Amino acid sequence: MSAEYRLCELETVSLHVSDLKSDPGLDDPPKEVGKTLFEDGGMFSYTNGTVNRESSTKPVQTVKNNVSDANSLSAFGEPKVCSDHGCELKLYCSTEGKMICSQCVSDGFCQGHAVTELVTRAAAVRNQLVDVCEKMQLQALRIERFIDRTLTAREKAVQVDANSARERVLSQVNAVREALEDEEQHLLEAIQREEERVEQCLLTQRAHWTQTLEKLSNARTSLVHKLTHSTDVMLVNANQEIYDRVEDAEGVGEPRDTEQLRMNSECSISKLLVGLWASAILLGPSAPGSTKLQFERRTVSPLLSLSDDQRTLTFLPKRQRQTPPYDPARFDSWPNALCSPPMSSGTYSWVVDVGTSAAFKVGVCCASMERKGSGNDARLGYNAKSWVLSHYDGDLSFCHNGCNVGISVVKKLKRVGLLLDWPGQMLLFYDPESMSVLHVVKHAFSEPLLAACAVADQSVSLVNLKRVKE
């Protein structure tokens, strides 16, 4: 119970209905200010026998401040006396919290204590009781109002809100379903067209090379016949014919397996499906077990410094660079660094915080990528063993094997997310803030991959690694 409702104990004061008699002098002038409690719980004030209230409600109790001798009676109507001095208890000691007699104050244990007359103390307790009852009544009114108005209104509102939420969910699901159905139709048609194209190319190639093979076989048969059934004179005289047939055979050329004879994997890539798939993967639960991603100190270029937790790379000005011990795993010319562990199964996602860096690369590379020298073999994005997202001079692009694909973004990225799906042979770059797909790579990865970074301005940091699928 709070201090607002706490009442001081009173050992012998009892309030009985028989003690609270109606004062017949309601029209008499007020004598002492007090309070009256009404049945309807309204606000009120009282005097010693005079009721002041706007309402005409009849009071059920009247509390009088000029308390009679009943205040000194016990619950059985007998006067209470001091056990130490045998005197009537007419005083109250606030320090001891009990009733005392006058001798307790003059020469007893309550000398110097805070002492008030019993009548005054009883009046204070009554006033406190009346205040508490008023507050309880007001609180009860507020609770009734809350039940009758607020809860009733909320019961009606929850039905409306729930129906609106259901309609919204159904509308969104229907919109997604329609979009997926349209995308499915579009992709299936694209795959069908690509299949027909490849089949047509194969038929054309088959017909061409079958005809060429027949022509070549005929020429060879003719030449073998000349060789085995002609005399020297006949061979010499058939020199022009032999030359023509050899020239025709040499002009046939060599058959080559080209990209035109393969299905283009891009025909089955959909930004909508990839985005939904990536969202489902990234927002789903992690696979059992934890995997810690950090930069491998052995690979860090001397152009960079690595933090103690091995998660932050910082580009160093020339005066701060040092020559580390030789290590075959270290990049010695480009500001690169690789991470561990290697990834060769399952699905992984991680985020790189690029902050305000104006020159950085993030991506993956094969573990066998060259580390030494200033050639393209050791330069991320400029060889066949690395796939990176590059930001330089305000331009964002995807780089692989020296080919750049520009990427448009609304604002500069503060973080870059990567999602590697090894079973699906797909690498995805995305914006963690908007969850939008930046670029998708479909490639038949043939060896373990390592997360890779390069930075030529300020710092980049690894945020987290999440293995989302085994």
Side-chain angles (χ1 to χ4, degrees):
M1 183 178 294
S2 66
E4 185 179 22
Y5 292 99
R6 189 177 298 118
L7 302 177
C8 297
E9 295 182 358
L10 187 58
E11 291 186 1
T12 59
V13 177
S14 300
L15 186 59
H16 298 279
V17 175
S18 60
D19 296 332
L20 300 177
K21 298 179 180 179
S22 301
D23 195 328
L26 293 178
D27 296 328
D28 295 338
K31 296 179 181 180
E32 295 182 26
V33 177
K35 295 186 177 180
T36 303
L37 182 63
F38 291 87
E39 289 181 343
D40 61 355
M43 299 300 294
F44 55 85
S45 64
Y46 73 87
T47 62
N48 185 25
T50 301
V51 179
N52 299 324
R53 190 170 188 262
E54 294 181 2
S55 173
S56 60
T57 305
K58 182 180 179 180
V60 295
Q61 293 183 20
T62 303
V63 182
K64 300 181 179 181
N65 287 344
N66 54 343
V67 181
S68 65
D69 292 339
N71 294 323
S72 61
L73 300 180
S74 67
F76 300 99
E78 298 178 355
K80 297 202 68 174
V81 295
C82 179
S83 60
D84 295 332
H85 304 99
C87 299
E88 187 177 355
L89 300 175
K90 293 185 177 182
L91 302 175
Y92 179 80
C93 179
S94 300
T95 305
E96 297 293 333
K98 66 179 184 178
M99 295 168 59
I100 60 175
C101 67
S102 57
Q103 290 189 21
C104 293
V105 178
S106 60
D107 55 5
F109 58 88
C110 290
Q111 293 183 27
H113 290 184
V115 177
T116 58
E117 292 185 0
L118 181 59
V119 174
T120 304
R121 180 61 183 173
V125 172
R126 288 189 179 92
N127 288 339
Q128 285 183 317
L129 284 171
V130 172
D131 288 341
V132 168
C133 291
E134 277 189 354
K135 292 175 182 177
M136 288 182 175
Q137 182 67 18
L138 292 175
Q139 186 180 19
L141 291 174
R142 289 193 295 269
I143 293 174
E144 290 176 0
R145 189 180 299 112
F146 177 77
I147 294 174
D148 294 340
R149 298 181 183 179
T150 304
L151 293 184
T152 302
R154 290 294 175 265
E155 288 173 353
K156 296 178 180 179
V158 71
Q159 298 298 326
V160 176
D161 294 342
N163 290 334
S164 298
R166 291 188 188 95
E167 292 177 359
R168 184 166 56 253
V169 169
L170 292 175
S171 176
Q172 291 175 348
V173 170
N174 288 334
V176 172
R177 183 181 293 111
E178 291 176 2
L180 287 175
E181 290 175 353
D182 293 342
E183 190 70 7
E184 177 187 17
Q185 184 65 27
H186 170 74
L187 291 174
L188 293 178
E189 291 176 355
I191 293 172
Q192 180 67 26
R193 289 194 298 269
E194 181 65 11
E195 181 184 19
E196 292 174 354
R197 182 196 66 78
V198 174
E199 287 179 347
Q200 184 62 42
C201 287
L202 292 174
L203 288 174
T204 302
Q205 289 286 311
R206 182 179 295 276
H208 170 74
W209 288 109
T210 299
Q211 183 179 1
T212 301
L213 179 62
E214 183 180 357
K215 182 178 179 181
L216 189 63
S217 298
N218 292 335
R220 178 178 176 278
T221 301
S222 175
L223 291 176
V224 169
H225 185 271
K226 289 284 186 184
L227 179 63
T228 56
H229 295 83
S230 298
T231 62
D232 293 344
V233 175
M234 294 174 62
L235 283 174
V236 172
N237 292 330
N239 185 51
Q240 184 62 41
E241 180 184 357
I242 295 173
Y243 175 79
D244 292 340
R245 290 188 177 276
V246 171
E247 187 177 18
D248 290 341
E250 290 178 348
V252 169
E254 292 293 330
R256 291 185 302 171
D257 185 9
T258 64
E259 292 295 329
Q260 296 295 321
L261 303 179
R262 298 188 182 94
M263 283 280 293
N264 182 7
S265 60
E266 299 292 329
C267 71
S268 61
I269 294 179
S270 162
K271 288 186 176 181
L272 175 62
L273 292 182
V274 169
L276 291 174
W277 170 82
S279 297
I281 292 294
L282 295 172
L283 298 177
S286 302
S290 60
T291 304
K292 184 178 181 182
L293 183 68
Q294 60 184 16
F295 290 107
E296 189 64 42
R297 193 175 295 276
R298 294 180 55 201
T299 68
V300 177
S301 166
L303 305 178
L304 306 173
S305 68
L306 181 62
S307 62
D308 293 338
D309 62 0
Q310 296 182 239
R311 298 176 70 84
T312 300
L313 292 175
T314 303
F315 184 71
L316 295 173
K318 289 184 178 181
R319 63 179 179 274
Q320 296 182 9
R321 297 173 186 171
Q322 299 179 355
T323 303
Y326 175 83
D327 194 310
R330 190 185 312 280
F331 290 92
D332 60 2
S333 297
W334 296 104
N336 303 340
L338 305 181
C339 301
S340 61
M343 295 169 282
S344 59
S345 64
T347 301
Y348 294 86
S349 70
W350 66 99
V351 176
V352 180
D353 188 343
V354 297
T356 57
S357 175
F360 63 83
K361 294 177 182 179
V362 295
V364 298
C365 70
C366 296
S368 62
M369 177 178 166
E370 180 62 48
R371 315 292 175 87
K372 304 301 181 182
S374 58
N376 287 340
D377 288 344
R379 189 179 182 186
L380 290 174
Y382 283 81
N383 52 69
K385 295 187 175 184
S386 59
W387 301 260
V388 296
L389 198 70
S390 173
H391 182 274
Y392 182 74
D393 198 22
D395 294 329
L396 188 67
S397 60
F398 169 74
C399 302
H400 171 65
N401 205 18
C403 298
N404 295 346
V405 179
I407 300 173
S408 299
V409 291
V410 177
K411 61 179 180 179
K412 183 184 178 302
L413 299 175
K414 295 182 179 179
R415 289 184 171 188
V416 178
L418 296 93
L419 180 61
L420 175 63
D421 180 27
W422 184 270
Q425 297 288 276
M426 182 168 66
L427 174 65
L428 182 144
F429 298 89
Y430 68 95
D431 179 5
E433 184 176 348
S434 63
M435 294 300 291
S436 58
V437 177
L438 301 174
H439 191 75
V440 179
V441 180
K442 288 284 290 183
H443 185 83
F445 302 113
S446 57
E447 60 179 288
L449 298 178
L450 301 174
C453 288
V455 58
D457 177 60
Q458 301 185 41
S459 302
V460 297
S461 301
L462 297 172
V463 177
N464 54 38
L465 174 66
K466 177 181 178 183
R467 185 166 188 172
V468 293
K469 277 188 178 182
E470 292 291 347

